[in-house]
Amino acid sequence: MSDGESRAKGARWDHDVDVVVVGSGFGGMTAALRAAHRGLDVVVIEKMPSYGGSSALSGGGVWIPNNPVNVRAGLDDSVERARSYMAAIVGDAVPQARIDAFLAAGPEAMAFLERETRWVRFMRVAGYADYHPEEPGGEPTGRTVEPVPIDARKLGADEEALLRNRMMKAPAGMYVTQAEYRKLTQVLTTWQGRAAAMRIGVRTAVGKLLRRRVIALGAAGVARFRLALRDAGIPLWLDTPMDDLVVEDGRVLGVRATRDGAECAIRARRGVVLAAGGFERNEAMRKQYQREPINGVWTSGAEGNTGDAIQAGLGLGAAVDLMDDAWWGPSIDTGGPGLFILAERALPGAIVVNSRGERYVNEASPYVDFVHRMYEVHDEDGVSTIPSHLIIDQRYRNRYPFVQAPPRAPLPRWMTKYGIVTTADSLDELAGKIGVPPEGLAATVRRVNELAATGHDDDFGKGDSAYDRYYGDPANTPNPCLAPIGEPPFYAFRLIPGDLGTKGGLVTDERARVLREDGTAIPGLYAIGNTSASVMGRDYAGAGATIGPAIAFGYVAADDLAEPAAATPAAGDAPEPEAAS
């Protein structure tokens, strides 16, 4: 018996509940709300001083087929269509029972949140295509929904602890939804873009006048869930990291945590739901499981996502899967966390080149696919794609925003100060500055300009998919994603394989129970979200395909916990806590 187990044997339970949820993102809070609705006593613990995790930092998209928001909007969707789509993109990487559980529980979970809370509300992101809309069952108009914006003042004292994404910070009173973000990329080229900018400007002025603090995207969703938790009387303990799982005879009985600087043991009569994110911030785990070059810095995931919950499951003999994968996305190298980019690479006039100055990928492709390609061809024949370089010209800058800079406006000073952007008055000069052969880059630009004239990317198909075109410019014809490059000055940005979080984690079944290597369930232990191996396998169905399954399996886990079979002996008969070895 280890020293940790010896200390645990003499300990007493400090708190006694039915369910402990570890993590405060969309999935964890869904599990808590559903468990409470089913009559269970729940506590949510969060290791960080702020709540929301990667959900709060995200765009807040939720990908759940046949959900009630889209049904009301008239989308002709069905579980059968979604099953065909998942079969096409996931294949046999995930058991069919898990996929079916997600497709069945997702709409139920969304309906439950709408029906049983007065706060959790979503709206359709019309037109945001599934990431593979041409596959059987793919939806070119999209299945994604996003949180309805909300005035953060409603949170009262809880507003200060809401995790916020500094890269999405907007001027006072301003907020932008996912749907509006896309339109703003076309602010100088389409009437829809100009109308969106005008609408945002007017409501920002009104918001400032009325001193509103309206927020959107993931932060709005987390705020809404937090208000729902408050209404349901569910405690949320911040600054309370889980130190270990407490087990007896192979069954998880609770958790050992640190609260207010002191160790405490929290009994979970029904079970523990691990919803603590992935291991993207754990450099040792990334180097153990993932391909080089990799680190724990390039990620856009929450700082608290260091894989603690996954390691706790591994300590009990849990199986893991997909640990080499992540929710990748090409990101601008800042010397610190990568700057995740979306529309910037899909808009016409943007190309990405390798160390020979050659294209190797459809720049507008879904971000997971893009980075899979980066790794696939990296160091092939001595050619490097990590880093790559994203290249644009002044024509692009005159027409489109880039990161935080509106069109025609100078790029942020910090980009120049920290060497994040390289500029030059000619392509040869730019090639010399970024270390690629001038003749290679010149040949690539000539080829792109020829393709732009024909309107079709014969080399990589940029603009062929409805997904590509979503972030393209419809005013740029004949291909909304393809334009010539040639107007100086030229700009280059180093691209590295960033991510929104890791994709691998504890293997779970269709009831969200954590499984051992032999396929048996660990009694009392559940995992959802990025703590579990993704139901999406190695692909990405659409915007929100991280959060959608987290909500669905949070709901599934709570329902399973509410069944009488999940109950442990009465409190007076319970054994003393024993820490996992």
Side-chain angles (χ1 to χ4, degrees):
M1 182 178 290
S2 70
D3 290 343
E5 289 173 319
S6 298
R7 287 195 299 271
K9 276 291 188 181
R12 296 285 178 181
W13 295 109
D14 300 294
H15 305 280
D16 202 321
V17 295
D18 290 316
V19 178
V20 175
V21 176
V22 183
S24 61
F26 282 25
M29 291 199 275
T30 298
L33 288 166
R34 181 61 175 175
H37 180 74
R38 293 292 304 269
L40 303 182
D41 185 20
V42 188
V43 64
V44 179
I45 64 173
E46 166 60 54
K47 79 184 272 190
M48 302 301 287
S50 52
Y51 59 91
S54 291
S55 292
L57 299 178
S58 74
V62 175
W63 193 87
I64 290 179
N66 206 36
N67 70 69
V69 176
N70 285 336
V71 169
R72 289 195 298 270
L75 180 65
D76 183 19
D77 200 4
S78 68
V79 170
E80 291 71 27
R81 285 189 67 221
R83 186 178 291 112
S84 296
Y85 180 57
M86 293 283 285
I89 67 169
V90 177
D92 59 1
V94 176
Q96 189 62 45
R98 282 195 73 212
I99 293 173
D100 288 344
F102 162 61
L103 295 177
E108 290 181 16
M110 294 284 282
F112 159 75
L113 292 168
E114 285 190 336
R115 183 180 67 249
E116 301 298 338
T117 78
R118 63 191 178 109
W119 295 109
V120 181
R121 297 292 182 269
F122 295 93
M123 60 188 186
R124 177 163 166 74
V125 187
Y128 199 166
D130 286 349
Y131 288 177
H132 304 280
E134 289 75 32
E135 294 288 352
E139 179 49 61
T141 69
R143 293 174 162 109
T144 301
V145 298
E146 66 173 311
V148 174
I150 188 171
D151 192 334
R153 293 178 301 176
K154 295 181 184 297
L155 288 166
D158 289 321
E159 181 183 356
E160 186 176 353
L162 172 64
L163 185 61
R164 306 293 292 275
N165 191 329
R166 288 174 293 178
M167 294 310 299
M168 293 182 182
K169 188 176 181 181
M174 176 187 253
Y175 67 90
V176 178
T177 65
Q178 279 198 33
E180 289 169 335
Y181 165 71
R182 175 244 189 148
K183 292 175 183 176
L184 286 181
T185 65
Q186 306 157 13
V187 65
L188 294 186
T189 60
T190 69
W191 68 264
Q192 294 96 333
R194 290 188 289 272
M198 185 175 299
R199 181 170 61 252
I200 292 167
V202 169
R203 77 174 179 224
T204 298
V206 173
K208 290 176 69 174
L209 184 65
L210 299 178
R211 298 184 179 180
R212 292 173 180 159
R213 294 194 293 273
V214 179
I215 54 176
L217 308 176
V222 168
R224 289 183 170 279
F225 272 101
R226 179 68 187 100
L227 290 165
L229 286 189
R230 209 160 66 184
D231 276 4
I234 300 170
L236 170 59
W237 295 351
L238 302 179
D239 268 323
T240 307
M242 180 190 76
D243 301 321
D244 211 342
L245 294 165
V246 180
V247 298
E248 182 73 21
D249 297 328
R251 181 183 182 87
V252 173
L253 299 180
V255 304
R256 191 168 301 286
T258 300
R259 188 182 185 212
D260 297 329
E263 188 179 86
C264 67
I266 311 169
R267 182 173 185 244
R269 292 184 293 268
R270 295 298 181 100
V272 174
V273 180
L274 301 178
F279 60 94
E280 57 266 24
R281 294 284 181 173
N282 187 319
E283 183 134 355
M285 288 184 73
R286 298 207 78 153
K287 290 188 176 296
Q288 176 184 355
Y289 291 106
Q290 299 188 325
R291 179 177 173 176
E292 294 284 1
I294 196 66
N295 59 47
V297 176
W298 291 339
T299 182
S300 300
E303 290 184 12
N305 293 350
T306 53
D308 311 342
I310 295 172
Q311 290 177 323
L314 283 168
L316 296 184
V320 292
D321 194 17
L322 303 174
M323 297 291 279
D324 60 331
D325 217 339
W327 301 101
W328 303 110
S331 302
I332 294 174
D333 186 2
T334 68
L339 186 57
F340 203 93
I341 56 171
L342 281 172
E344 290 88 351
R345 55 192 170 83
L347 287 164
I351 61 171
V352 173
V353 300
N354 60 22
S355 62
R356 278 207 295 236
E358 299 169 342
R359 293 176 74 210
Y360 63 91
V361 67
N362 169 7
E363 293 87 353
S365 59
Y367 29 95
V368 165
D369 293 357
F370 190 114
V371 175
H372 280 165
R373 180 66 176 165
M374 284 182 93
Y375 275 114
E376 178 186 338
V377 299
H378 179 59
D379 272 349
E380 191 175 86
D381 298 326
V383 180
S384 171
T385 53
I386 303 174
S388 296
H389 282 92
L390 171 70
I391 294 172
I392 58 175
D393 68 356
Q394 191 58 42
R395 175 188 180 278
Y396 181 112
R397 288 294 300 117
N398 288 340
R399 295 170 68 87
Y400 309 116
F402 191 88
V403 188
Q404 296 174 344
R408 300 177 183 168
L411 292 169
R413 290 182 181 178
W414 54 266
M415 284 192 168
T416 303
K417 179 179 179 180
Y418 296 108
I420 294 167
V421 60
T422 300
T423 60
D425 290 327
S426 71
L427 286 171
D428 281 358
E429 181 188 358
L430 187 73
K433 286 184 174 182
I434 64 176
V436 305
E439 62 277 11
L441 181 59
T444 295
V445 170
R446 281 197 301 272
R447 174 61 174 166
V448 167
N449 292 351
E450 291 169 359
L451 296 173
T454 68
H456 187 261
D457 180 5
D458 295 341
D459 296 340
F460 298 99
K462 185 178 183 183
D464 286 356
S465 172
Y467 172 76
D468 296 2
R469 296 191 294 274
Y470 178 75
Y471 279 124
D473 177 8
N476 186 87
T477 57
N479 188 326
C481 301
L482 211 58
I485 299 170
E487 183 177 342
F490 302 93
Y491 306 81
F493 304 83
R494 283 165 50 99
L495 289 190
I496 41 92
D499 61 73
L500 300 172
T502 45
K503 182 179 282 196
L506 304 174
V507 173
T508 58
D509 66 7
E510 66 274 15
R511 293 159 62 183
R513 301 178 303 174
V514 175
L515 303 180
R516 301 183 182 94
E517 291 284 356
D518 64 4
T520 60
I522 299 174
L525 188 62
Y526 299 74
I528 63 174
N530 287 353
T531 304
S532 63
S534 173
V535 74
M536 296 292 157
R538 297 193 177 278
D539 219 312
Y540 207 147
T546 52
I547 293 177
I551 288 175
F553 283 110
Y555 181 88
V556 166
D559 275 357
D560 204 67
L561 284 159
E563 295 302 315
T568 57
D573 301 325
E576 297 299 335
E578 176 183 330
S581 56

